[in-house]
């Protein structure tokens, strides 16, 4: 072979297999939810798609009730009920399926995928989402557990404090609802400080060897939330975003605030413009920080060559964010951490 031909061959192979692809596939998810990472990885290894990986990974957390913040029996709302939010996004086609305020169905990420694959819609909510799920073959069951009953009864005993109401009448420190709006009694009832254990959504990004990218989330939301409250997790661009031509991201934390900034969308757009994943994550956090310096939150980012990063906002009690990564550089899921700023 002449040297000229060899040169051409080298160019072709570098174009098909850029150096950065060597560590693919990649699974990355928020928090130390290792079994979720492993479930997603196994799905890819057994020939599943990136959507299968995200569904299996988030689904694992729903079954294991990761930190009590994902799946059934966690985060009872003001009426004691656990409701679920989830989303899945196909980064090749930009299709999304999501459910919010889902009742009585355990597998929220599965229902989200059914919304994507069996309707032209993006987001179904509440009772109607549950009816849809039942029609699609998902089993309706009570999501209440002894644990959620305990959390709820303790809260009732404590006069329904803390809660997420503000500017309401009568004096909410002495009674539970129903609440009425008050113009004169300016009572800020916001729960004192977002504690990490009431916000631990799983958010996941999966990228395979051929550059297919998917992202998803699953959560039971916020403990003592006002019924009907939907956080960032099932909102496209807020809880997660995936575009196989740019990257993927998933966020976790104080969803009520974070969803106002579409941090996952922002991070993906920054990576599209060439930003390093860690830098993209940091900018997405900074944007929120500018308005809510005390918000609790973190984000994970991965670009199309499988490079990844994470960032979090430093607040009292939260100076380091842990997340999981599995790529071809290791034979087990690896726990990673990033210092908040
Ligand atoms: C993770 O999976 C292992 C093996 O199936 C199991 O023993 C363990 O309890 C799981 N971890 C959690 C947190 O559920
Ligand atoms: C839940 O509580 C009931 C009674 O309050 C008890 O009989 C049951 O064993 C408990 N279940 C679990 C799993 O602890
Ligand atoms: C992904 O990020 C890494 C690290 O910053 C960078 O070297 C690589 O070129 C990026 N890939 C793409 C496709 O931009």
């Amino acid at each position: 072979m002449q040297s000229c031909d060899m040169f051409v061959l080298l160019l072709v192979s570098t174009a098909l297999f850029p150096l950065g692809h060597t560590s693919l596939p990649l699974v990355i998810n928020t928090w130390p939810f290792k079994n979720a990472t492993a479930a997603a990885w196994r799905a890819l290894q057994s020939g599943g798609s990136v959507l299968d990986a995200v569904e299996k990974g988030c689904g694992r957390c729903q079954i294991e009730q990761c930190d009590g913040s994902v799946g059934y029996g966690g985060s009872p709302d003001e009426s004691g009920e656990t409701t679920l939010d989830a989303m899945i996004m196909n980064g090749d086609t930009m299709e999304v399926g999501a459910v919010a305020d889902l009742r009585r169905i355990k597998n929220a990420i599965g229902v989200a995928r059914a919304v994507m694959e069996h309707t032209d819609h993006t987001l179904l909510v509440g009772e109607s989402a549950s009816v849809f799920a039942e029609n699609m073959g998902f089993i309706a069951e009570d999501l209440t557990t002894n644990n959620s009953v305990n959390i709820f009864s303790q809260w009732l005993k404590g006069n329904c404090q803390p809660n997420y109401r503000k500017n309401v009448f009568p004096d909410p420190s002495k009674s539970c609802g129903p609440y009425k709006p008050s113009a004169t009694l300016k009572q800020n009832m916001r729960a004192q400080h977002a504690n990490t254990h009431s916000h631990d959504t799983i958010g996941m990004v999966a990228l395979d060897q051929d550059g297919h990218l998917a992202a998803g989330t699953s959560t039971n939301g916020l403990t003592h939330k006002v019924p009907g409250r939907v956080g960032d997790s099932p909102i496209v661009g807020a809880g997660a975003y995936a575009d196989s031509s740019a990257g993927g991201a998933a966020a976790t934390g104080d969803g009520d605030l974070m969803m106002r900034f579409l941090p996952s969308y922002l991070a993906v757009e920054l990576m599209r413009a060439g930003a390093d994943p860690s830098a993209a994550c940091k900018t997405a956090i900074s944007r929120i920080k500018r308005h809510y310096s005390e918000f609790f939150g973190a984000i994970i980012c991965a670009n199309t060559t499988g490079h990844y990063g994470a960032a979090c906002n430093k607040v009292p009690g939260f100076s380091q964010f842990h997340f999981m990564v599995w790529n071809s550089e290791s034979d087990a899921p690896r726990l990673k951490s990033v210092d908040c700023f």
Side-chain angles (χ1 to χ4, degrees), residues 232-233 235-241 249-251 258-260 262-265 299:
D232 60 332
S233 301
I235 305 302
V236 191
Y241 200 68
M258 295 178 82
M259 68 195 290
R260 301 171 188 174
L262 299 182
S264 296
Y265 176 76
I299 184 167

Side-chain angles (χ1 to χ4, degrees), residues 14-215:
T14 319
L16 284 176
F17 306 103
L19 288 176
H21 274 277
T22 50
S23 64
L24 294 180
L26 169 74
V27 172
I28 177 170
N29 63 265
T30 57
W31 306 112
F33 301 149
K34 183 173 126 212
N35 287 357
T37 324
W41 183 262
R42 272 197 308 274
L44 288 177
Q45 296 306 306
S46 58
S49 67
V50 284
L51 290 170
D52 296 332
V54 168
E55 184 184 354
K56 287 280 189 309
C58 293
R60 190 74 230 153
C61 254
Q62 293 173 166
I63 293 165
E64 290 183 1
Q65 303 168 288
C66 284
D67 268 4
S69 65
V70 184
Y72 67 101
S75 308
D77 66 16
E78 279 188 347
S79 55
E81 184 174 3
T82 295
T83 61
L84 308 178
D85 298 343
M87 174 188 88
I88 191 162
M89 180 165 193
N90 181 337
D92 291 349
T93 62
M94 307 310 280
E95 288 171 294
V96 176
V99 285
D101 194 22
L102 180 71
R103 312 174 67 187
R104 301 189 307 279
I105 310 284
K106 283 185 179 172
N107 184 8
I109 188 89
V111 181
R113 188 162 180 188
V115 170
M116 180 170 76
E117 295 185 342
H118 300 291
T119 78
D120 286 330
H121 301 312
T122 291
L123 172 62
L124 295 185
V125 303
E127 194 59 39
S128 307
S130 307
V131 171
F132 166 79
E134 280 188 71
N135 289 339
M136 297 307 296
F138 292 86
I139 297 160
E141 52 198 320
D142 194 356
L143 304 187
T144 306
T145 60
N146 286 1
N147 183 47
S148 68
V149 167
N150 284 341
I151 296 171
F152 181 55
S153 57
Q154 286 303 313
W155 181 73
L156 286 178
K157 271 187 215 149
N159 292 321
C160 307
Q161 300 297 313
N163 67 40
Y164 292 89
R165 306 280 178 163
K166 62 182 184 185
N167 309 331
V168 289
F169 184 82
D171 184 347
S173 66
K174 295 197 188 73
S175 81
C176 300
Y179 303 99
K180 297 232 162 56
S182 165
T184 50
L185 194 72
K186 290 285 179 194
Q187 294 251 1
N188 192 332
M189 297 194 48
R190 191 76 164 82
Q192 251 313 307
H193 226 282
N195 84 67
T196 55
H197 286 284
S198 56
H199 299 79
D200 305 7
T201 308
I202 183 164
M204 178 177 275
V205 175
L207 175 59
D208 72 12
Q209 251 134 347
D210 303 319
H212 302 298
L213 215 153

Side-chain angles (χ1 to χ4, degrees), residues 20-21 245-246 271-278 302-308:
H21 274 277
S245 67
M271 289 187 282
R272 188 195 306 282
D276 166 79
S278 301
N303 71 11
T304 57
T305 42
H307 296 84
Y308 59 84

